Structures are given as structure tokens and as C-alpha cells.
Amino acid sequence: MANVTIIGTQWGDEGKGKVVDLYAEKANVIVRFQGGNNAGHTLVVKGEKTILHLIPSGILHNNKLCILGNGMVIDPQVLIMEIERLRLRGVLPADTRLLVSDRAHVIMPYHRSIDLARESQLSHKIGTTGRGIGPCYEDKINRQGIRICDLMDEEVFRQKLMSNLEEKNFYLTKRFQMEPLLGENILAEYLTYADYIRPFVADTAYILAEEINKGRKILFEGAQGAHLDIDHGTYPYVTSSNTAAGSAATGSGLGPGSMNNVVGICKAYTTRVGEGPFPTELCNDIGKYLQEAGREFGSTTGRKRRCGWLDLCLVNQAIRTSGISGLCLTKLDVLTGLEKINICVGYRLETGEIIDHVPASIKVLSQCEPLYETLDGWSEELSGARSLDELPKNTRKYIERIEILTGVEAVLVSIGPSREETIVLKNPFVA
Ligand code: GDP
Ligand code: IMO
Ligand code: MG
């Protein structure tokens, strides 16, 4: 039996939330393993939209175990708001078990302040979501972080908070001329969060291993995308965690052998939020068309997403770095109406050399000229199709071309935001 890991193959927002919601029906456990509320995963069920930032996208199904794994960074206020919103809407099934790893790191107010101060005052902006993600991971790696288990213990939490705050306030006041943060206020605020979260806290790696031993099916939900990965992405224009599939093991506390089926989510074109090189970006009417037709606004910050042609140099690198064996092609409906469609199959460097991979240096990547293969477009609406045969011939050709150029089969085709606007070609839980 296979477990399934869902990974974004581009710069995030590929439609991971929709696919996880769909696959969750067949899974018993859904696990987020990295990132935090920089993610925004959108689910559209019976016309109702739900955007999840922290809670796994399986939450709308009955009888599931949803886990926020140890690799995540968790802003407790955001988590509580997310739970409360779902409860208020009556869409949190009573039999859902939601667990938070005792080893996940806690996003503190000083993480948000530092993130925002750097973005507003430093010359090299990353265009972060401003949620304190980078500064929280910095503290984790620096061994200064506060974990959920620390938050559960008032004495330990107070001591860690006060000791960290001394340094953080020095940085905020001297480097950014900001007002210092008040320890007692933070303490009081976070202790109320601690009380709320306590019933959800567990050694989730232990529980996951038990679930696997019982033969339960696990769905690992990646956040961000392969090119926002701290090692393999367009550094420094990346997020602060490993987004590649290997992270599902360390970020959930299982061995790599448990990740035996990696599915890559690939939007039919490319988008990016925030700064950084983007070789196939379209700063013209077609880019505007994709942005409008695809409603490409960030689900977390509401920023306009930059749009461009599908770039298979990016996707193929994601396939290599995550061991992807199946592709979910999303948002094909957005391409309807375009006369010609380009697929980037290589880059020409300034030196004239032609390459088919993503160079490490963002200076070199920024100078790359994308090389395109051009296909004919289609004008028919796609959303009603429920099988490949019902898609226009040129849409099928586009899909086939992607399969050939990546060497990976399409396992799902998405033609609209709703659950039902999907053509499932293969059961993901069969290896
Ligand atoms: P994620 O971060 O990868 O989960 O993606 P987001 O939810 O941030 O962004 C994807 C957006 O596209 C959401 O608004 C989805 O509802 C929407 N979406 C997903 N699949 C499709 C599709 O096949 N067609 C269209 N038109 N929209 C889609
Ligand atoms: P999902 O899971 C798209 C981008 C930010 C910024 C960079 C660093 O919805 O696909 P951070 O706040 O993480 O330090 O920002 O990463 N970014 C995302 N872009 N989708 C996401 O998540 C993202 N999470 C972070 O825009 O460029
Ligand atoms: Mg998103």
C-alpha cells in the first residue's frame, strides 16, 4: 500500500489544497510537515470556499486524523482563529481528530515584527508573507526556538520568552528604531493560547508510526513549492524550510521509506508571489489574461500573483529533487481562449549555451532567455469534462506533451476550482 506525498512543483499556489481535499477521501491521516501560515490552501466544496493556512486540507472530511507535524512553525493565534472559524461555520466534523506536534516551533510576536521590519526597511526585499516564518525558523536552527512543548509549561515558557526577548528587543530597537515588545503582555497572551491548544498537543510522530502499523493510509500535504525550497529553490527568494518531498519524513517524524508515492502539483502555467527571478514571466496582455482568468491573487496576502508560461525546467527539477512519479495538472481551464500556448523547454544563457536545468545563481537565472515549444490553443470551455475524451483535442495534446517532456504521467487533471471539476486518472494510493 502506498502513502502519498503532495508537493508543489513551481513557486506555490499550484492547487495543492484542492488536490489534498480530493485525495483525503481515500486517506485516514493527513499531515502538514513544514511551513506555517505563509501557506494558503483553497478548497471549494459545494460552492463554498475554505482557505486553510495551518490546518491540513483533509479537515472537511469525516473521520480523519489531521496532524500539524513537528516540521511546522505555528502561530497559535492563527491556529485558534482557524479552528474557531471552521467550528462557527459548522464544517469541522465532530469526529475529526486534530493534533499538533509537541515539537513544532511557535511563532512569536517578535518573529512577525522582525519579518515586517526587514521587509519594510532593508534594500533586498524577499517579498515575504510577513508572518514571521523566516525569523521563527532562524531561531529553530539557532537552538533558540520555543516549541509547543515549551508553551505547555509556564515556567519554561516564561524563562525562554524573557531570555529571547532581551536579544530581540535589542535588535528591534537598535537596528530598526522600533518600540520594545513587553514580555509580560506576550506571556499573558500566549498562556491563554496554551490553554486552548493543550488538548490538541501530542507526540505526533509516535502516533503516526502507530497509524502506519495499523495499515492506515497517510497523505502528506506539502506547502509552498519546489522552487521556494531553502536548498533547491531560487535562493534567497525562497521560504525558510525544505519544501521538497524529503522534508515530509523529517517534518513528520517518519523514515523516508514511508514516502513511497510522491505526486507533484503543476499549474498549467506559472505564477509567483513576491520577488525573485521568473524567466517565463509575461509582463504583457497574456500575463494579465492569466492573472484575471486564473484569479491569481495570493490566498494569504491578497497580492497579485505574477504570471507566465509553463516552465518545464522548473518542473523537471522539482521531479528530480522530490522523486515525483505522478503529476496533477491544474487550472487547464484558465488557458481556454489563448490562440497559442508556449511551454518553456530550456534556457539560453548569456554565453549562448543552452541548458535544460535551473542554474543555482539567481544572477545567471535572471539573464536566462526561455526557449519555447509552441502548441495550438483551444477555445472550448473545459469545466464540464469528466474524462480525457471529453477534453478538446488540443488540450489533450498539451497534456501529452507535458507527459513526454517530463517523463512523468498525469494522474489527475483539474479544470476548475471545485471538487467535481476534476478528472482523476489514477488512484494515488496504489503505488
Ligand atoms: P495551493 O496553495 O497550492 O493550495 O493553491 P491556492 O489555493 O493558493 O491557489 C490555487 C487557486 O486556484 C485557488 O483559488 C483554487 O480554488 C484555484 N484552483 C485550483 N484548481 C483549479 C483549477 O483547476 N481551475 C481553476 N480555475 N482554479 C483552480
Ligand atoms: P502555498 O502553500 C506562494 C513566498 C512568499 C515570498 C517567499 C518567502 O499557499 O503554496 P515567507 O513568508 O515564506 O518567508 O516568504 O515565499 N511564499 C509563497 N508563495 N505560495 C505559498 O504557499 C507561499 N509561502 C511563501 O510570497 O516570496
Ligand atoms: Mg496557496
Side-chain angles (χ1 to χ4, degrees), residues 11-13 16 38-41 127-129 223-224 228 238-239 273 303:
W11 280 296
D13 303 326
K16 298 177 292 294
N38 46 351
H41 296 178
T128 73
T129 58
Q224 289 80 54
L228 289 171
V238 293
T239 191
V273 201
R303 290 176 291 176

Side-chain angles (χ1 to χ4, degrees), residues 8 12-18 39-44 49 51 57 221-222 224 265 267 269 293-300 305 329-334 383 413-418 421:
D13 303 326
E14 299 90 349
K16 298 177 292 294
K18 169 177 168 166
H41 296 178
T42 313
L43 288 49
V44 181
K49 191 194 256 197
I51 301 180
S57 301
E221 175 180 1
Q224 289 80 54
I265 315 300
K267 205 182 276 193
Y269 47 97
R295 302 202 173 134
E296 295 294 354
F297 290 96
S299 346
T300 297
R305 295 173 183 150
L329 301 175
T330 63
K331 303 193 90 160
L332 274 150
D333 53 302
V334 175
S383 305
V413 173
S414 174
I415 43 177
S418 306
E421 289 168 323

Side-chain angles (χ1 to χ4, degrees), residues 137-195:
Y137 275 118
E138 275 171 50
D139 278 359
K140 170 178 176 173
I141 300 302
N142 200 22
R143 292 156 295 180
Q144 235 182 312
I146 296 180
R147 302 197 294 174
I148 294 284
C149 60
D150 303 323
L151 180 61
M152 294 300 111
D153 182 322
E154 184 173 339
E155 198 186 321
V156 174
F157 181 67
R158 173 190 286 275
Q159 182 268 318
K160 287 202 168 191
L161 167 65
M162 296 308 171
S163 138
N164 280 351
L165 207 52
E166 216 174 293
E167 195 183 299
K168 303 298 177 189
N169 274 338
F170 179 80
Y171 183 58
L172 284 170
T173 55
K174 302 288 182 219
R175 177 69 182 82
F176 296 108
Q177 292 76 49
M178 288 174 70
E179 289 296 314
L181 299 171
L182 299 174
E184 288 304 327
N185 290 359
I186 298 175
L187 182 70
E189 180 188 338
Y190 271 63
L191 288 178
T192 65
Y193 300 153
D195 286 339

